Structure formats: structure tokens, C-alpha cells
Amino acid sequence: QHCFTKSSDGFLYCEDTKVQDIMEGLEKRPFYLYSKPQITRNVEAYKEALEGLNSIIGYAIKANNNFKILQHLRKLGCGAVLVSGNELRLALRAGFDPTRCIFNGNGKLLEDLALAAQEGVFVNVDSEFDLENIVAAARIAGKKVNVLLRINPDVDPQVHPYVATGNKNSKFGIRNEKLQWFLDAVKTHPNELKLVGAHCHLGSTITKVDIFRDAAILMVNYIDEIRAQGFEVDYLNIGGGLGIDYHHTGAVLPTPRDLIDTVRELVLSRNLNLIIEPGRSLIANTCCLVNHVTGVKTNGTKNFIVIDGSMAELIRPSLYGAYQHIELVSPSLPDAEISAFDVVGPVCESADFLGKDRELPTPAKGAGLVVHDAGAYCMSMASTYNLKMRPPEYWVEEDGQVTKIRHGETFEDHMRFFEGL
Ligand code: LLP
């Protein structure tokens, strides 16, 4: 069951609510619209897949940091994966259990590591200098830190180079030939560090589970090596990265169950706890960016639909050439012609497009147009470029109620940065 469906008479629904009706009750500006039940269903799919394993679902907060969504994910039992001190602070405010949180990153700052140490968060060691900082943080906090080594397994995730992270020339993680150096370094800091596991993250938008399996085989071999030196390591963290069906072609993509099943035996054979770090596959498909059509124009051989949303609200198409499915929220007029349109925003950049060559009926001014699968890396990557203020967010609840879950930013919010200067 998916939250966004088109009725036979051509209206888009979010669960049982017509998107057109939601639009009519709101201020005319782009907004993000989520289905709360879909978030629940996505988490349940992971939980069911993980049955029989000791595990932590560490939700990658970078994908979407809406506070209400975080609280909901926490109530559903998720832990959190953090990449900055502020993400850590946010997770703590949202009530996440710090001992189910993992702090990742190639440039973690000492003060943030000290907070992580204080709170008892797992920390992934990314480099020699990172290890030094974690030791210093442990001393500041007066606490031993549970660390995992982020090993870069050099498995090709077969994704856009900007979201590949586990290859040998990546800025993330440590190379296997340096493993011994790190094991020796941990041994010299018995009061500061407790090595509890190994971590890898291959990349994002991965659509073949064999890739996870290949990495997991390498990782359990490293764990065997590490255990052979007397370390009691119990955690395998295989990162995030499962892709979703952005193209809406009905292609069969791996599910959380496929992902977990491909590593299950390996995890059980070594008696390990499994940590996973999904972002996109938990949240992307729960949301649309809802836009209004400003007008339609033609230049040269190109037809354009100009909408009020843009690369400022949703940058993935501009940044990665990412495809996100686009459709109108209500039926077009019976005589509307279907043509190929570039769907563009008002921002002063030719990179400002949400979709290219999309077959769509010519929409009326003011018509609703949605960009699908906008729950992950859309709002969290939004900017205020051209002073397009960040949009409000709403979700449809189980009982059909539409609730605002984040205020839209306003011009006055912007002016506040200059108050008192
Ligand atoms: N763990 C680590 C260490 C990561 O670096 C990431 C994502 C995740 C987990 C979550 O990965 P996911 O399950 O969401 O694929 N902005 C890009 C995606 C960047 C992903 C960065 N790391 C996009 O819009 O596609």
C-alpha cells in the first residue's frame, strides 16, 4: 500500500485525502506533504525484516530532520545516525536513546565528539586524526567511548559518483591496509576507547542487494581478524543506502527484507548485532513537494511549465540530475494537449529544473503539480537562494487530519538575522 494514489477520475490522494482539497485550504506557496501512516509502514517493513536478529535501525537524520518526524520515528523504536553536533543535539531533544545513536563523519569536531562521549553515543572512527580527537573527547567527558572502525571496503555501489562513499579513493573511512595501525592505536587507549564493531557505508540509492552482501562478506572477515587479536567486537554496521523506485515504472526493487535476508546468515554465523543506517528508504516515498503552476511558455524547441517551487526547495534534480516523478494533482481539461515539458522554477539559474522532458497535459494557471519521493534529501537540503524561503511542511495523519509539522519561513524570519547589528 502506498500513500499517494491517483483515483480513476484523475485526482491525486494522500492516503484518503484529496491533495487538491488540502491545497485549497492553505497559503499559496510550495509545501511538503507527508503521510504519517506511510512513515509507520516503512519502519514496520524494516522491523519485520529484522525479526530474529539483534539490531538497531539507525535512522539517518540527514535525510530529513523534521522534529515531528524524528519524534515519530523515535516512538516507533528507531535509533539515529548523526553527522554533526547539531544533529546529535536534535536527536537528544527528540528523545532518542543515545545508546542507540551512531555518530559518523570524516570531519567530526572535538566539541561535538565530547558531547557524543558524554551521552554514550557510538562513534565511528574515520581517520587517524579522528581517533586522536575521540581519545581527547573521552578525556574531556571522563567516559570511555564505544567505537566502531569505519572500514572502506572498496565495493562499487554503482551509483552517481556524488553519492558513492565506499570506494578506495573516497574521503570517508579507513583503508583495510591501515587496519592494524588502528587496532594498535585502540590498544594503547584502554581507558578512552572500547572497540565494539566495524562499520561501512557504500553509498546511496543502491538498487542491487548483492552489493550489500559483497560488502558484508568483507566486513565479517575484518571482524574475524579483529576478534583474532582479542577484541570483543559485537556490532556489524552495514550503513544505509537502499534505493527506492524514483521512476515509478513498477520495476521490482529490493525491499528491506531482501536487504536483510542477504546478510542475515553472515550476521548470525558470527553472533553479531546488526546496525543499519537507512535514510532514504524510510522517508523518501512518504512525501511530495506540492507546487502551483505559475504559467506555461515555449522557447525554441522547449516547452516549459513554470512552477512556484524550485531548486531552492528541492535541489536533487539540479545537483545530481536525479529523476523524481512529476504529476498534476487534478484531472486536466478533456481537450488538453499532452506534450513534453521541462518543469522549472523561478530561480535565476538554468540549473533550476525539477524535471526534464516530462509528458504532461498543458496545465491551467494555478494547477497543483507534485514532485514525488521528496521525503529524503529535499527539505533537508533546501536553501533560501533568491530569498525563496523554506516551505512549510504538513502531514496527513491516520485519521485523515492534515497537520502542520513545520512553519514556512517568512521574509521577517530572514530579517531577524540582522536585528541589533
Ligand atoms: N550512513 C551514512 C554513513 C551515510 O553517509 C548516509 C548517507 C546514510 C547512512 C543514509 O543513506 P541512505 O539510506 O539515505 O541512502 N543527498 C544525496 C544523498 C546523500 C547520502 C549521504 N549519506 C541525495 O539526495 O541523493
Side-chain angles (χ1 to χ4, degrees):
Q1 187 194 354
H2 187 253
C3 54
F4 290 103
T5 47
K6 213 53 181 289
S7 62
S8 53
D9 57 352
F11 284 98
L12 184 72
Y13 282 75
C14 178
E15 302 296 341
D16 297 323
T17 308
K18 233 184 219 181
V19 175
Q20 179 76 48
D21 292 347
I22 300 174
M23 287 179 76
E24 277 161 14
L26 300 178
E27 191 191 345
K28 200 169 169 230
R29 62 185 287 188
F31 63 92
Y32 281 102
L33 178 66
Y34 299 82
S35 156
K36 190 179 181 196
Q38 184 69 47
I39 300 174
T40 309
R41 291 193 290 267
N42 289 354
V43 175
E44 292 305 327
Y46 267 107
K47 281 196 196 162
E48 284 164 22
L50 287 161
E51 264 168 33
L53 294 177
N54 289 325
S55 63
I56 297 177
I57 303 173
Y59 166 66
I61 287 190
K62 71 188 96 175
N64 187 312
N65 57 35
N66 182 290
F67 192 65
K68 296 282 182 184
I69 292 176
L70 294 184
Q71 287 178 316
H72 183 54
L73 289 167
R74 187 260 300 161
K75 283 184 200 144
L76 293 169
C78 291
V81 168
L82 323 156
V83 290
S84 68
N86 282 341
E87 285 193 354
L88 170 53
R89 285 177 198 99
L90 191 69
L92 295 172
R93 290 262 187 113
F96 283 93
D97 174 355
T99 65
R100 294 171 67 76
C101 290
I102 303 102
F103 191 17
N104 260 315
N106 64 318
K108 301 187 281 300
L109 301 177
L110 178 58
E111 67 204 59
D112 297 336
L113 284 167
L115 177 62
Q118 179 62 39
E119 296 290 340
V121 169
F122 289 106
V123 178
N124 286 335
V125 180
D126 189 86
S127 63
E128 293 85 342
F129 73 76
D130 194 40
L131 185 128
E132 263 172 41
N133 284 343
I134 298 167
V135 169
R139 288 185 185 141
I140 293 169
K143 296 214 171 135
K144 208 186 240 193
V145 183
N146 287 326
V147 296
L148 292 84
L149 294 177
R150 176 166 182 170
I151 301 174
N152 178 332
D154 195 20
V155 169
D156 178 6
Q158 303 172 33
V159 296
H160 190 287
Y162 290 5
V163 297
T165 47
N167 47 312
K168 72 169 187 278
N169 290 330
S170 158
K171 71 168 180 168
F172 299 102
I174 64 176
R175 292 293 298 135
N176 48 345
E177 64 260 29
K178 292 189 180 162
L179 182 58
Q180 192 56 51
W181 185 92
F182 283 90
L183 296 179
D184 293 340
V186 170
K187 281 182 204 158
T188 59
H189 296 292
N191 299 324
E192 290 87 3
L193 306 176
K194 177 164 169 29
L195 182 61
V196 299
H199 169 252
C200 68
H201 173 73
L202 308 172
S204 203
T205 68
I206 297 171
T207 51
K208 295 183 189 134
V209 286
D210 287 357
I211 292 171
F212 290 101
R213 190 183 160 74
D214 292 348
I217 293 171
L218 293 169
M219 293 302 290
V220 294
N221 288 339
Y222 292 132
I223 286 181
D224 291 344
E225 243 179 278
I226 297 169
R227 282 178 168 171
Q229 297 197 28
F231 291 100
E232 285 172 27
V233 291
D234 298 323
Y235 289 90
L236 171 62
N237 181 339
I238 58 164
L242 188 63
I244 63 144
D245 180 21
Y246 278 114
H247 286 269
H248 289 213
T249 53
V252 183
L253 288 177
T255 60
R257 180 173 297 281
D258 297 329
L259 166 62
I260 302 305
D261 281 352
T262 193
V263 300
R264 175 180 293 274
E265 288 310 316
L266 279 168
V267 171
L268 289 172
S269 71
R270 305 301 199 282
N271 202 13
L272 289 163
N273 303 307
L274 181 67
I275 303 179
I276 52 168
E277 304 184 330
R280 189 184 320 270
S281 52
L282 280 178
I283 198 74
N285 73 351
T286 69
C287 173
C288 277
L289 177 68
V290 184
N291 310 275
H292 306 79
V293 172
T294 306
V296 173
K297 67 186 276 186
T298 300
N299 270 343
T301 57
K302 281 281 181 192
N303 302 314
F304 298 95
I305 297 175
V306 184
I307 57 174
D308 55 358
S310 70
M311 68 189 289
E313 289 80 4
L314 195 156
I315 201 176
R316 300 189 67 259
S318 307
L319 188 57
Y320 314 110
Y323 180 97
Q324 294 189 214
H325 195 61
I326 288 178
E327 63 183 331
L328 297 170
V329 308
S330 48
S332 48
L333 299 172
D335 58 346
E337 222 182 294
I338 301 213
S339 357
F341 287 99
D342 282 9
V343 177
V344 301
V347 164
C348 292
E349 293 254 1
S350 293
D352 179 27
F353 62 90
L354 285 303
K356 293 216 159 167
D357 293 319
R358 302 303 175 88
E359 297 283 332
L360 290 164
T362 304
K365 267 191 191 175
L369 178 150
V370 295
V371 181
H372 278 286
D373 303 307
Y377 307 109
C378 292
M379 181 58 168
S380 66
M381 294 177 78
S383 74
T384 57
Y385 189 38
N386 284 201
L387 277 197
K388 284 184 71 23
M389 308 315 290
R390 277 179 291 196
E393 297 182 293
Y394 297 85
W395 67 16
V396 173
E397 303 197 39
E398 290 74 9
D399 61 1
Q401 194 176 318
V402 180
T403 310
K404 192 194 266 189
I405 56 170
R406 175 172 164 137
H407 295 299
E409 288 175 10
T410 64
F411 175 70
E412 292 308 326
D413 290 329
H414 179 72
M415 292 314 293
R416 225 159 275 150
F417 290 110
F418 305 96
E419 269 167 24
L421 298 186

